[in-house]
Amino acid sequence: MRTLYVLLATAVAVAGSPIAAQTDRPGLREQLRARMAASDNAPLPAGVDPRTLAVGAATRNYLLLDARRDKAPAPLVIALHGGGGNGKTMVPRWADKARAEGIVVAFPDGVGRDGRMATWNAGGCCGQAMATNSNDVGFIGALIDELVRSGVADPKRVYVTGMSNGGMLTHKVAIALSGKIAAAAVVSGAMFGDEGAPAGPVPIMIMHGAKDQVVPYAGGPSPIGFVASAQSRDFQAVEKTVAYWVKADGCTAAPKASPTGEVQTQDWASCSAGSEVLFYRLASATHTWPGAKAPAGATRMLEMTPYDAIDATDAAWTFFKRHVRP
């Protein structure tokens, strides 16, 4: 029972929880389970279909929203949920954009004991996925291959984005699969400081709240105890992560910068092979997907501080549209 409790609380905390430190409060675990169960029992939105994919000996699950206006291959966005969630928790963040733009969005599930409170293996975090060395990069690579092979996705316009633990995996995917993706966008994610260089440049957008209480802007262990216990390595400071990508993408000119105000930006727009590094520092934002509709289930309970000075989905899609693989 103690093991189950730790696993549950660890997965939940990484999803973005200012209340995770209160997990000893009576009844909280039951509330979280009940809210996630209620979310899972709710019907999927129209046009969102559950699918499976064999990856080695494993069967992996994902949701697919195919909003193409014809049968031609279209841009593909792969949206990776935060720890403690599943693919369904990302649907409200991308469904309207998919339908408005006529694109395809895949919402993969991470690894969890019950298929709901799932995590990703990002190397230095998190939970069951890390502990079992889940091949999540392999899953995302196989998913891209399947959707390209089937004529759904345009291989020149494949994009990956993620929140929190999903953002951590986005960094890892961008490094490992630089030849498959056209751009990446990370919201409230982190790197760990021991990553190698990608084989080629990858345009990347990084967005992080300066007041993030789960994946701290300054790096180090999470202030949330259960998240810290799910880490095998400290989070790298956000500005060091930006510097990693500036170097990896061969950005030599100074960025165009807006260094003051609530939404502060640095944009290295003339990097190697047309790549770009765009960094958003959100002065008062905590651990959240800015501008999102309130998600259902446990994630709604955990992301407690709305932030609407910018919309992360709009920013990511605007960034993605600028980048197409040759």
Side-chain angles (χ1 to χ4, degrees):
M1 183 59 149
R2 173 64 180 169
T3 300
L4 175 60
Y5 171 58
V6 171
L7 286 169
L8 173 65
T10 296
V12 165
V14 183
S17 173
I19 61 170
Q22 304 173 29
T23 49
D24 57 346
R25 193 176 73 196
L28 180 57
R29 285 176 290 162
E30 290 71 22
Q31 292 178 48
L32 293 172
R33 287 193 185 101
R35 289 197 178 208
M36 184 58 78
S39 173
D40 283 355
N41 291 333
L44 289 169
V48 178
D49 299 317
R51 299 195 178 189
T52 60
L53 181 66
V55 183
T59 298
R60 302 298 299 260
N61 300 309
Y62 66 101
L63 301 174
L64 190 71
L65 173 53
D66 183 349
R68 291 178 294 168
R69 299 189 178 102
D70 54 40
K71 296 299 183 182
L76 167 66
V77 175
I78 298 177
L80 303 175
H81 63 79
N86 57 21
K88 195 172 184 179
T89 61
M90 291 296 283
V91 172
R93 295 167 176 167
W94 278 95
D96 288 348
K97 183 64 66 179
R99 295 184 179 107
E101 298 288 338
I103 64 174
V104 179
V105 186
F107 305 97
D109 286 348
V111 174
R113 285 182 180 271
D114 57 6
R116 298 196 300 263
M117 311 295 283
T119 55
W120 300 106
N121 178 18
C125 193
C126 295
Q128 184 180 351
M130 182 186 69
T132 59
N133 197 29
S134 176
N135 184 12
D136 292 329
V137 169
F139 173 29
I140 302 307
L143 179 57
I144 293 170
D145 291 345
E146 170 63 18
L147 295 175
V148 169
R149 181 200 62 76
S150 62
V152 171
D154 179 349
K156 294 183 178 181
R157 295 182 291 171
V158 174
Y159 309 102
V160 180
T161 186
M163 162 72 184
S164 190
N165 182 206
M168 299 172 203
L169 182 62
T170 299
H171 282 301
K172 194 172 180 181
V173 166
I175 293 167
L177 304 180
S178 61
K180 290 181 184 283
I181 67 172
V186 174
V187 178
S188 300
M191 294 176 72
F192 300 94
D194 58 353
E195 293 84 0
V202 180
I204 191 164
M205 184 194 92
I206 297 170
M207 181 178 290
H208 211 107
K211 305 297 185 183
D212 194 313
Q213 79 285 8
V214 178
V215 181
Y217 187 89
S222 175
I224 306 298
F226 286 113
V227 182
S229 70
Q231 296 175 239
S232 63
R233 295 191 292 281
D234 283 355
F235 297 133
Q236 180 171 256
V238 174
E239 291 178 4
K240 288 186 177 180
T241 293
V242 174
Y244 165 94
W245 282 109
V246 168
K247 180 179 179 180
D249 284 352
C251 308
T252 56
K256 180 180 179 180
S258 299
T260 60
E262 178 58 40
V263 178
Q264 302 162 18
T265 61
Q266 291 177 283
D267 189 5
W268 291 263
S270 300
C271 304
S272 179
S275 61
E276 176 185 5
V277 177
L278 175 58
F279 174 45
Y280 289 94
R281 180 186 185 274
L282 309 180
S284 68
T286 57
H287 193 72
T288 190
W289 184 278
K293 293 180 179 178
T299 308
R300 181 174 184 174
M301 186 175 182
L302 301 173
E303 293 181 25
M304 296 177 66
T305 308
Y307 184 88
D308 60 4
I310 189 171
D311 187 293
T313 304
D314 286 347
W317 180 241
T318 298
F319 181 78
F320 289 161
K321 288 194 293 186
R322 294 203 290 265
H323 297 285
V324 179
R325 290 184 62 234

